[in-house]
Amino acid sequence: MALALDRIRVGSAPDSWGVWFPDDPQQVPWERFLDEVTEAGYSWIELGPYGYLPTDPARLTDEITKRNLKVSAGTIFCGLHRGPSEWDSTWEQVSRVAALTQAMDAKHLVVIPSFWRDDKTAEILEPPELTVEQWRNLTTGMERLGREVKDRYGLDIVVHPHADTHIDNEEHVERFLDSTDSDLVNLCLDTGHYAYCGGDSVKLIETYGERIGYLHLKQVDPEILADVVRNEIPFGPAVQRGVMCEPPAGVPELGPVLTAAQKLGVDLFAIVEQDMYPCEPDKPLPIAVRTRKFLRSCGA
């Protein structure tokens, strides 16, 4: 008998509607996203890029409440590996997003490290490997961020390993976790990004379970991924090739991931994200409906 996934709270995000930027003519209007995510059967959402959804708390509360939606998290990008000089610009962004996230009664801030390779142009911006000093900057900076966000906004930060960033593969993720305080920093495990970078999500959950604070559910197409790796294709163009695919067509299998997460015995958000920027406006809803049905078949 399958394990009842009663500790897993499933949701979706603007990302699954092809939204990567606060404002872009290739993206669906925010009203359509909210209407369609509700129609697909989800009750939890993320804020997405700050400025895509209304940033006035009263207006956003009204818009999500009338659709019976709730917010699970906000998202920020940061380059704290560059050292203390990054703090002020990082905090300026964090304070805006965290204030809105708090106002929506959410408890998590997803933190994505900055890209070392431009996701549109493929320009190499920085070396893909950090120096010892940069690792120290990254870990101490994230701990400071975790402390400040918790003290000022009551939110937990969850750091998101991501393709073309310095926290991506198994080695980097484990090094990051081993170098940070679990009281201040935990992980948003994105199953698609981790597989994209060669990692095993079930193994990570079973090994570092106490550090898993949040999940993004995503799959990669193994054949497209093999071509991406072979030709060193940057993340943006890889997404345009369809490397992130509709479940259950890709890897990892989400059933075992959800089962491993349930066994941790804690409440976890599992937010569906299928990177597909840019995409036709009529494409996301049918995928979202099928994905929600598939996750129900897994017990979520």
Side-chain angles (χ1 to χ4, degrees):
M1 181 177 168
L3 193 66
L5 302 177
D6 59 352
R7 305 301 294 265
I8 308 297
R9 291 171 285 183
V10 171
S12 193
D15 183 63
S16 293
W17 268 255
V19 175
W20 278 13
F21 303 101
D23 185 37
D24 189 300
Q26 297 186 89
Q27 297 174 170
V28 297
W30 63 266
E31 297 93 338
R32 180 170 179 177
F33 159 67
L34 291 178
D35 289 342
E36 292 188 352
V37 76
T38 305
E39 186 180 339
Y42 294 101
S43 56
W44 292 95
I45 60 165
E46 289 185 2
L47 293 176
Y50 182 81
Y52 174 66
L53 295 177
T55 55
D56 174 65
R59 185 180 183 201
L60 183 55
T61 298
D62 180 58
E63 294 289 351
I64 65 171
T65 301
K66 70 186 184 185
R67 296 173 174 88
N68 295 313
L69 293 170
K70 292 170 284 187
V71 174
S72 61
T75 303
I76 64 117
F77 287 82
C78 65
L80 293 174
H81 66 284
R82 300 185 191 112
S85 62
E86 284 287 305
W87 180 261
D88 287 348
S89 61
T90 298
W91 188 254
E92 184 183 0
Q93 176 201 177
V94 168
S95 58
R96 288 195 304 268
V97 178
L100 184 60
T101 304
Q102 179 191 44
M104 294 301 106
D105 291 325
K107 300 299 180 190
H108 295 88
L109 188 68
V110 177
V111 179
I112 301 176
S114 57
F115 285 40
W116 56 260
R117 175 165 61 182
D118 190 283
D119 62 334
K120 278 190 170 180
T121 67
E123 178 191 356
I124 303 295
L125 306 172
E126 299 180 71
E129 292 288 338
L130 296 178
T131 65
V132 171
E133 182 183 10
Q134 287 173 323
W135 266 109
R136 192 181 309 113
N137 289 337
L138 176 64
T139 55
T140 58
M142 286 294 192
E143 287 179 334
R144 180 184 179 188
L145 189 65
R147 186 181 297 110
E148 296 276 355
V149 167
K150 173 66 100 177
D151 288 350
R152 299 196 194 192
Y153 298 101
L155 306 177
D156 292 323
I157 71 165
V158 282
V159 176
H160 181 323
H162 195 293
D164 288 358
T165 77
H166 295 107
I167 307 177
D168 50 5
N169 59 27
E170 183 176 317
E171 178 190 354
H172 291 160
V173 169
E174 292 187 356
R175 180 174 179 177
F176 178 75
L177 291 175
D178 290 342
S179 305
T180 48
D181 184 342
S182 61
D183 289 337
L184 300 172
V185 180
N186 284 303
L187 211 67
C188 168
L189 171 58
D190 184 304
T191 60
H193 278 277
Y194 202 50
Y196 184 103
C197 298
D200 181 331
S201 288
V202 171
K203 178 186 171 188
L204 187 67
I205 293 169
E206 291 176 345
T207 309
Y208 286 90
E210 74 284 356
R211 304 299 300 276
I212 306 298
Y214 199 91
L215 294 172
H216 279 171
L217 300 181
K218 190 179 296 179
Q219 286 191 324
V220 295
D221 181 311
E223 291 186 10
I224 297 175
L225 179 62
D227 184 61
V228 164
V229 171
R230 187 165 52 245
N231 293 296
E232 298 183 358
I233 296 167
F235 181 65
V239 166
Q240 292 179 26
R241 292 183 180 210
V243 72
M244 299 297 182
C245 63
E246 178 182 343
V251 296
E253 282 187 72
L254 295 181
V257 170
L258 291 166
T259 298
Q262 170 71 23
K263 288 178 180 177
L264 297 177
V266 296
D267 292 332
L268 280 175
F269 283 107
I271 304 298
V272 176
E273 284 196 331
Q274 184 182 341
D275 298 320
M276 48 185 183
Y277 173 86
C279 69
E280 293 299 318
D282 293 335
K283 184 179 178 183
L285 177 59
I287 292 175
V289 170
R290 291 191 296 266
T291 301
R292 187 70 193 93
K293 183 178 179 183
F294 165 69
L295 291 172
R296 284 198 181 96
S297 77
C298 296

